[in-house]
């Protein structure tokens, strides 16, 4: 009997990367490989890279070493955003055999041959202008939720961002493809789908390989809401200027979409938003938050924010801090600005010292803890629905309510991947909310 070659994957970065790793993995399994965990011995290790922060760059070398510990003779391939932006850097890392760019990564089976190690690594990386076609993807990482890619690339020119250089122009999956993938996921008894992409509010553009729009993001949302067997749909992140009133109103009365938005802000200073070339100012952002809270009062709202952007003075930072403090939001994702090659911001003056960036980052992370706690407190006593996850963490099973409150109850394997109505009781010492079941049968 011929032994199957074993392949393992490691994904850095965003939900979009996870969805694409799963698609690449499925294609290799179809070609006869056996997928194993990254900490197991494999014949080939594939690392899906990210370039959003410098830490992701540094982590790549650590992961290569980890793969070599698993099997010193293994074939190592790098794909993804960092592979597109800096292929020569990656191929120069000891042990790396193959680097594939934005368009080549989905055809990895065509490049790996017999998995023999090369003295010289190979790079196959297109000009990013060639990344103009769409590859459908979805990830099933656990039994409870899946990441479904609906859009790729970005036409925005934010001055700090390398994503357009790494992923190319904005383009979308066809509506029929998205619905087919969503049905495939639902048929596997997965209860929640998270929609993902680079700029998903731009959905529809490039559905036919050009800029013609047949469908909009609202059309997508309405169509997905009708798919049988999906209990929950969650929007991963959407630009404030693309989140329209009609979408908010629809989600407020939707069957499947949950009351949770993640809306990038990046700065609470209009002056810095202009320097960043964002497509809105703070008044529009405030308007979006107020609209959401008006029609979905218990909605969870997450915010991305960057600290230490070139030219950010103490006054700019305090504007951001106070702006966020006064907004009715639920948590923050805080990014410390890091210089990225070939971006406009990298050549701007008025560089903020690293120490100052770190201090500001800590202040906003502390604000995030305060905001999350206040949001959790506002939900105590409410009856909500929890989707329980699959891991036993110190004798507890965790889950999330539809509006993204993290809860726990003593471990019970029968609860895994099930939905239950619960009443939120109190915030435990670890910041996670305890509960009681709303019905007696769930406690049995």
């Amino acid at each position: 009997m011929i032994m199957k070659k074993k392949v393992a994957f490691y994904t850095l970065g965003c939900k979009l990367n996870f969805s694409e790793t799963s698609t690449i993995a499925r294609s290799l399994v179809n070609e006869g490989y056996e997928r194993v965990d990254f900490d197991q011995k494999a014949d080939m290790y594939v690392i899906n890279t990210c370039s959003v922060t410098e830490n992701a760059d540094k982590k790549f070398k650590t992961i290569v070493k980890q793969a070599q510990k698993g099997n010193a003779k293994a074939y190592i391939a790098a794909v993804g955003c960092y592979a597109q932006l800096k292929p020569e850097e990656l191929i120069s890392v000891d042990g790396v055999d193959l680097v594939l760019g934005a368009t080549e990564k989905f055809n990895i089976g065509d490049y790996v041959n017999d998995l023999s190690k090369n003295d010289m690594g190979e790079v196959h990386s297109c000009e990013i202008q060639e990344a103009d076609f769409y590859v459908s993807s979805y990830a099933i990482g656990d039994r409870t939720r899946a990441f479904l890619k609906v859009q790729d690339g970005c036409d925005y020119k934010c001055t700090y961002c390398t994503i357009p250089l790494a992923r190319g122009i904005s383009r979308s999956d066809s509506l029929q493809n998205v619905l087919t993938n969503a049905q495939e996921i639902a048929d596997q008894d997965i209860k929640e789908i998270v929609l993902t992409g680079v700029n998903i509010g731009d959905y529809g553009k490039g559905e036919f390989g050009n800029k013609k729009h047949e469908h909009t993001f609202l059309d997508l949302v309405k169509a997905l809401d009708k798919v049988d067997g999906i209990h929950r749909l969650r929007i991963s992140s959407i630009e404030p200027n693309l989140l329209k009133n009609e979408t908010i109103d629809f989600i407020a009365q939707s069957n499947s979409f949950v009351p949770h938005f993640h809306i990038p802000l990046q700065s609470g200073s209009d002056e810095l938003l202009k320097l960043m070339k964002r497509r809105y100012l703070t008044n529009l952002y405030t308007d979006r938050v107020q609209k959401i809270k008006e029609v979905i009062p218990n909605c969870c709202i997450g915010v991305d924010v960057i600290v230490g952007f070139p030219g950010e003075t103490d006054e700019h930072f305090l504007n951001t801090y106070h702006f966020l403090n006064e907004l009715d939001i639920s948590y923050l994702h805080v990014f410390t600005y890091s210089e990225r090659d070939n971006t406009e911001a990298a050549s701007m003056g008025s560089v903020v010292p690293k120490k100052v960036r770190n201090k500001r980052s800590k202040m906003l992370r502390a604000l995030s803890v305060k905001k999350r706690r206040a949001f959790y407190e506002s939900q105590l006593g409410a009856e909500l629905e929890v989707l329980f996850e699959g891991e036993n963490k110190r004798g507890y099973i965790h889950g999330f309510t539809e509006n993204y409150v993290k809860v726990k109850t003593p471990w019970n394997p029968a609860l895994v991947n099930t939905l239950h109505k619960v009443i939120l009781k109190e915030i435990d010492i670890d910041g996670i909310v305890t509960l009681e079941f709303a019905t007696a049968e769930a406690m049995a």
Side-chain angles (χ1 to χ4, degrees):
M1 188 179 95
I2 299 170
M3 294 288 287
K4 283 185 175 182
K5 296 275 190 189
K6 292 179 177 175
V7 61
F9 294 84
Y10 195 106
T11 305
L12 289 158
C14 61
K15 295 180 178 77
L16 181 56
N17 271 5
F18 278 93
S19 75
E20 292 182 342
T21 296
S22 280
T23 297
I24 294 164
R26 282 193 292 275
S27 75
L28 287 175
V29 168
N30 290 339
E31 289 176 30
Y33 287 83
E34 179 190 342
R35 184 174 183 178
V36 299
D37 290 339
F38 199 81
D39 57 5
Q40 293 179 264
K41 185 175 182 180
D43 301 289
M44 173 163 66
Y45 294 90
V46 180
I47 304 166
N48 194 351
T49 63
C50 168
S51 68
V52 170
T53 67
E54 61 188 343
N55 291 339
D57 298 0
K58 289 171 185 167
K59 197 165 182 192
F60 176 75
K61 289 178 183 172
T62 309
I63 296 157
V64 169
K65 282 180 183 158
Q66 202 178 319
Q68 289 170 319
K69 275 184 191 167
N71 179 5
K73 295 178 180 174
Y75 189 89
I76 298 175
V79 301
C81 291
Y82 189 25
Q84 175 65 36
L85 289 172
K86 300 206 171 170
E88 300 305 330
E89 268 186 33
L90 292 190
I91 205 66
S92 68
V93 174
D94 188 41
V96 176
D97 299 284
L98 178 68
V99 175
L100 297 179
T103 61
E104 294 82 5
K105 62 190 171 190
F106 294 106
N107 302 315
I108 187 169
D110 297 345
Y111 295 100
V112 295
N113 303 319
D114 60 354
L115 300 187
S116 55
K117 300 284 281 179
N118 302 315
D119 291 338
M120 290 289 290
E122 284 181 45
V123 172
H124 298 275
S125 182
C126 66
E127 291 299 315
I128 198 58
Q129 292 81 355
E130 293 167 36
D132 58 359
F133 58 90
Y134 188 88
V135 177
S136 292
S137 301
Y138 64 83
I140 297 173
D142 58 37
R143 283 169 56 193
T144 54
R145 73 173 53 82
F147 301 134
L148 172 58
K149 173 182 166 187
V150 299
Q151 183 274 341
D152 199 354
C154 190
D155 292 341
Y156 288 9
K157 299 287 186 283
C158 301
T159 55
Y160 52 81
C161 186
T162 58
I163 296 298
L165 301 172
R167 284 189 168 270
I169 58 170
S170 178
R171 55 211 189 271
S172 308
D173 205 350
S174 72
L175 189 57
Q176 191 50 56
N177 263 357
V178 174
L179 296 177
T180 301
N181 286 340
Q183 192 64 65
E184 274 180 29
I185 294 165
D187 291 346
Q188 295 180 59
D189 194 33
I190 286 161
K191 303 286 195 292
E192 180 173 307
I193 293 177
V194 182
L195 302 186
T196 184
V198 176
N199 187 359
I200 63 174
D202 207 28
Y203 176 81
K205 192 187 280 185
E207 193 180 349
F208 305 99
N210 54 30
K211 296 301 175 194
K212 187 178 146 218
H213 270 262
E214 184 171 314
H215 298 104
T216 64
F217 183 69
L218 181 58
D219 294 334
L220 173 74
V221 165
K222 286 180 172 176
L224 281 167
D225 202 48
K226 294 175 186 163
V227 175
D228 282 342
I230 301 176
H231 298 271
R232 288 181 171 184
L233 285 154
R234 201 178 291 277
I235 298 167
S236 62
S237 181
I238 184 164
E239 293 284 306
N241 51 303
L242 296 175
L243 178 55
K244 306 298 184 191
N245 283 348
E246 296 83 359
T247 305
I248 297 167
D249 286 333
F250 180 80
I251 285 170
Q253 50 81 51
S254 138
N255 299 315
S256 312
F257 278 89
V258 295
H260 177 201
F261 290 99
H262 193 93
I263 314 169
L265 168 68
Q266 312 308 14
S267 176
S269 156
D270 286 344
E271 196 180 329
L272 286 187
L273 288 174
K274 288 173 186 172
L275 280 175
M276 291 174 170
K277 291 192 178 168
R278 300 294 285 160
R279 298 196 176 196
Y280 55 86
L281 297 174
T282 50
N283 60 351
L284 178 121
Y285 197 93
T286 303
D287 179 68
R288 298 298 76 207
V289 171
Q290 286 174 347
K291 169 66 181 175
I292 291 166
K293 286 295 184 173
E294 181 187 309
V295 296
I296 320 173
N298 72 333
C299 191
C300 177
I301 302 176
V303 181
D304 287 341
V305 61
I306 295 170
V307 295
F309 186 80
E312 183 185 65
T313 62
D314 287 343
E315 187 182 353
H316 290 136
F317 172 71
L318 288 172
N319 284 347
T320 298
Y321 187 95
H322 294 309
F323 179 72
L324 289 166
N325 192 38
E326 285 159 26
L327 265 187
D328 191 0
I329 55 161
S330 314
Y331 65 90
L332 305 172
H333 282 171
V334 183
F335 297 90
T336 306
Y337 171 77
S338 59
E339 286 78 1
R340 316 308 292 147
D341 288 348
N342 302 314
T343 59
E344 220 178 303
S347 57
M348 289 179 181
S350 307
V351 172
V352 178
K354 290 269 173 79
K355 266 187 181 173
V356 176
R357 295 184 212 184
N358 292 337
K359 182 184 170 190
R360 289 174 184 172
S361 179
K362 274 183 188 163
M363 284 176 71
L364 283 186
R365 289 198 169 101
L367 178 62
S368 179
V369 170
K370 179 183 134 183
K371 284 285 185 183
R372 193 185 297 272
R373 186 169 185 96
F375 177 64
Y376 281 11
E377 282 173 354
S378 75
Q379 299 303 300
L380 296 181
E383 182 176 302
L384 295 163
E385 191 172 61
V386 170
L387 173 57
F388 286 103
E389 305 198 333
E391 208 178 332
N392 183 343
K393 292 183 180 173
R394 298 179 181 174
Y396 285 93
I397 186 168
H398 292 91
F400 284 92
T401 63
E402 60 268 46
N403 62 345
Y404 214 54
V405 175
K406 190 173 186 181
V407 299
K408 66 178 186 180
T409 195
W411 171 254
N412 176 356
L415 291 174
V416 172
N417 195 34
T418 61
L419 289 151
H420 292 281
K421 291 282 186 190
V422 305
I423 295 158
L424 303 192
K425 297 301 288 178
E426 59 183 13
I427 303 171
D428 209 350
I429 194 164
D430 55 5
I432 300 170
V433 178
T434 60
L435 58 88
E436 70 179 38
F437 289 95
T439 56
E441 67 197 64
M443 301 160 70

